[in-house]
Coordinates of all heavy atoms in Angstrom, one line a residue:
R300 N 0.3 -19.6 -24.5 CA 1.0 -20.9 -24.5 C 2.2 -20.7 -25.4 O 3.3 -21.1 -25.1 CB 0.1 -22.0 -25.0 CG 0.7 -23.4 -25.2 CD 1.0 -24.1 -23.9 NE 2.2 -23.7 -23.2 CZ 2.4 -23.6 -21.9 NH1 1.4 -24.0 -21.1 NH2 3.5 -23.3 -21.4
E301 N 2.0 -20.2 -26.6 CA 3.0 -20.1 -27.6 C 4.1 -19.1 -27.1 O 5.3 -19.3 -27.3 CB 2.5 -19.6 -28.9 CG 1.6 -20.6 -29.6 CD 1.0 -20.1 -30.9 OE1 1.3 -19.0 -31.3 OE2 0.1 -20.9 -31.5
A302 N 3.7 -18.0 -26.4 CA 4.6 -17.0 -26.0 C 5.5 -17.5 -24.8 O 6.7 -17.3 -24.8 CB 3.8 -15.8 -25.5
I303 N 4.9 -18.3 -23.9 CA 5.6 -18.9 -22.8 C 6.7 -19.9 -23.3 O 7.8 -19.9 -22.9 CB 4.7 -19.6 -21.8 CG1 3.9 -18.5 -21.0 CG2 5.4 -20.5 -20.8 CD1 2.7 -19.1 -20.2
D304 N 6.2 -20.7 -24.3 CA 7.2 -21.6 -24.9 C 8.3 -20.9 -25.7 O 9.4 -21.4 -25.6 CB 6.4 -22.6 -25.8 CG 5.4 -23.5 -25.1 OD1 5.6 -23.6 -23.8 OD2 4.6 -24.1 -25.7
A305 N 7.9 -19.9 -26.4 CA 8.9 -19.1 -27.1 C 10.0 -18.5 -26.2 O 11.2 -18.5 -26.5 CB 8.3 -18.0 -28.0
I306 N 9.6 -18.0 -25.1 CA 10.5 -17.4 -24.1 C 11.5 -18.5 -23.6 O 12.7 -18.3 -23.5 CB 9.8 -16.7 -23.0 CG1 9.1 -15.4 -23.5 CG2 10.7 -16.4 -21.8 CD1 8.1 -14.8 -22.5
A307 N 10.9 -19.7 -23.3 CA 11.7 -20.8 -22.8 C 12.7 -21.3 -23.8 O 13.8 -21.7 -23.5 CB 10.8 -21.9 -22.4
E308 N 12.3 -21.2 -25.1 CA 13.2 -21.7 -26.2 C 14.1 -20.6 -26.8 O 14.9 -20.9 -27.7 CB 12.3 -22.2 -27.3 CG 11.5 -23.4 -26.9 CD 10.3 -23.7 -27.8 OE1 10.1 -23.0 -28.8 OE2 9.5 -24.6 -27.5
G309 N 14.0 -19.3 -26.3 CA 14.8 -18.3 -26.8 C 14.4 -17.8 -28.2 O 15.1 -17.2 -29.0
T310 N 13.1 -18.0 -28.6 CA 12.6 -17.5 -29.9 C 11.5 -16.5 -29.8 O 10.7 -16.3 -30.7 CB 12.0 -18.7 -30.7 OG1 11.0 -19.4 -29.9 CG2 13.1 -19.8 -30.9
Y311 N 11.5 -15.8 -28.6 CA 10.5 -14.7 -28.4 C 10.9 -13.5 -29.1 O 11.9 -12.8 -28.7 CB 10.4 -14.5 -26.9 CG 9.4 -13.4 -26.4 CD1 8.1 -13.6 -26.3 CD2 9.9 -12.2 -25.9 CE1 7.2 -12.7 -25.8 CE2 9.1 -11.2 -25.4 CZ 7.7 -11.5 -25.4 OH 6.9 -10.5 -24.9
T312 N 10.2 -13.1 -30.2 CA 10.6 -11.9 -31.0 C 9.5 -10.9 -31.2 O 8.3 -11.2 -30.9 CB 11.0 -12.4 -32.4 OG1 9.8 -13.0 -33.0 CG2 12.1 -13.5 -32.3
R313 N 9.8 -9.7 -31.6 CA 8.9 -8.7 -31.9 C 7.9 -9.1 -32.9 O 6.7 -8.8 -32.8 CB 9.6 -7.4 -32.4 CG 8.8 -6.2 -32.6 CD 8.3 -5.6 -31.3 NE 6.9 -5.8 -31.0 CZ 6.3 -5.4 -29.9 NH1 7.0 -4.9 -28.9 NH2 5.0 -5.6 -29.8
E314 N 8.3 -9.8 -33.9 CA 7.4 -10.3 -35.0 C 6.3 -11.2 -34.4 O 5.2 -11.1 -34.8 CB 8.2 -11.0 -36.1 CG 9.1 -10.1 -37.0 CD 10.4 -9.6 -36.2 OE1 10.8 -10.3 -35.2 OE2 10.9 -8.6 -36.6
K315 N 6.8 -12.1 -33.6 CA 5.8 -13.0 -32.9 C 4.8 -12.3 -32.0 O 3.6 -12.6 -32.0 CB 6.5 -14.1 -32.1 CG 7.2 -15.2 -33.0 CD 7.8 -16.3 -32.1 CE 8.4 -17.4 -33.0 NZ 9.0 -18.5 -32.2
V316 N 5.3 -11.3 -31.3 CA 4.5 -10.5 -30.4 C 3.4 -9.8 -31.3 O 2.2 -9.8 -30.9 CB 5.3 -9.5 -29.6 CG1 4.4 -8.5 -29.0 CG2 6.1 -10.2 -28.6
D317 N 3.8 -9.2 -32.4 CA 2.8 -8.5 -33.2 C 1.8 -9.5 -33.7 O 0.6 -9.1 -33.8 CB 3.6 -7.9 -34.4 CG 4.5 -6.7 -34.0 OD1 4.2 -6.2 -32.9 OD2 5.3 -6.3 -34.8
C318 N 2.2 -10.7 -34.1 CA 1.2 -11.7 -34.5 C 0.2 -12.1 -33.4 O -1.0 -12.2 -33.6 CB 2.0 -12.9 -35.0 SG 0.9 -14.3 -35.6
W319 N 0.8 -12.3 -32.2 CA -0.1 -12.6 -31.1 C -1.1 -11.5 -30.8 O -2.2 -11.8 -30.5 CB 0.8 -13.0 -29.8 CG 1.6 -14.2 -30.0 CD1 1.2 -15.4 -30.5 CD2 2.9 -14.4 -29.5 NE1 2.2 -16.3 -30.5 CE2 3.3 -15.7 -29.8 CE3 3.8 -13.6 -28.8 CZ2 4.5 -16.3 -29.5 CZ3 5.1 -14.1 -28.5 CH2 5.4 -15.4 -28.9

Side-chain angles (χ1 to χ4, degrees):
R300 174 77 278 148
E301 292 175 7
I303 290 168
D304 292 347
I306 291 169
E308 295 161 5
T310 59
Y311 178 79
T312 62
R313 184 73 251 174
E314 290 75 22
K315 287 186 176 181
V316 167
D317 291 341
C318 179
W319 293 320

